[in-house]
Amino acid sequence: MKSLAATVFYLDEIPAVGSVAVLDGPEGRHAATVRRIRVGEPITLSDGRGLLATSEVVATAKDRLDLRVLDRVVAQPVSPSVTVVQALPKSDRSELAVELMTEAGADRIVPWQASRCISNWESKARKGVEKWRLAARSAARQSRRAYIPDVLDLHATRDVIAMVRDVVGRGGIAVALHESGAARFTELPFDKVAEILLIVGPEGGLDDSELDAFTEPGASVTLLGPTVLRTSTAAAVALGALGALTPRW
């Protein structure tokens, strides 16, 4: 198989080798109008679910590309998988948090309405989730990911508690990142599990009732590092550490 091209675009259904794929809609418009991709250029297509296809542009229009599929391969998911429960950041940093954790390799992203969140999505959850999904898709393209991370619907604290219980019950590790943590992040046996759940608090931090609620079903309250990070960057830093501590990298 030829080496994958640097440019990646997402297409829900990728046809068989030798067939012509049509890239239209927002992806096609971005490729044809913004990137000004021309006939003969190589493009990597992905369905966002692991399938990658090398292709070559055979025709262009104002808002679409026609591409001949040259080869296809399925990228294996990385292990352990990482789900990030992200307390809603302030609006000016909300999508940045999603972009950074997507580029750093998050497999699933869960928006969480924590008690100390400045942002409140109760009346606009659908709009907020859709913005996060678009941000994740754009960041996945930028970082050339075969898998676009799933962005779940808005979760309440009781939903996060249930996630902790499920992950720990399956033998995974759940971690609430907090400066009061007695354990250090690097001391946890991340390389011995198949599933990790990271809980990132809001600007005001996790309150005591949330910490108690997460530790009761088995989450560890853990110190990520020597400095206090913004909620919008903590997940990306933790994912970078996990890349070095596990076989993810």
Side-chain angles (χ1 to χ4, degrees), residues 129-152:
V129 169
E130 184 58 29
K131 284 185 176 181
W132 278 29
R133 287 172 177 161
L134 290 173
R137 185 183 184 93
S138 177
R141 182 203 297 133
Q142 173 68 30
S143 51
R144 301 196 286 276
R145 287 189 54 169
Y147 291 87
I148 301 172
D150 293 328
V151 178
L152 277 59

Side-chain angles (χ1 to χ4, degrees), residues 5 13 22 27 34 66 132 155 188 190 198 210 213 236:
E13 300 294 335
V22 176
E27 293 282 303
V34 179
D66 292 350
W132 278 29
H155 276 44
L188 297 179
F190 293 118
L198 297 177
E210 289 167 341

Side-chain angles (χ1 to χ4, degrees), residues 105-123:
D107 298 294
R108 189 162 63 156
I109 300 170
V110 182
W112 169 38
Q113 188 72 62
S115 64
R116 291 178 177 171
C117 284
I118 296 172
S119 296
N120 189 324
W121 279 12
E122 289 181 2
S123 62

Side-chain angles (χ1 to χ4, degrees), residues 63-82:
D63 58 356
R64 62 176 272 174
L65 300 178
D66 292 350
L67 309 111
R68 187 169 304 282
V69 177
L70 305 177
D71 209 342
R72 303 184 358 152
V73 65
V74 176
Q76 294 302 310
V78 295
S79 181
S81 68
V82 180

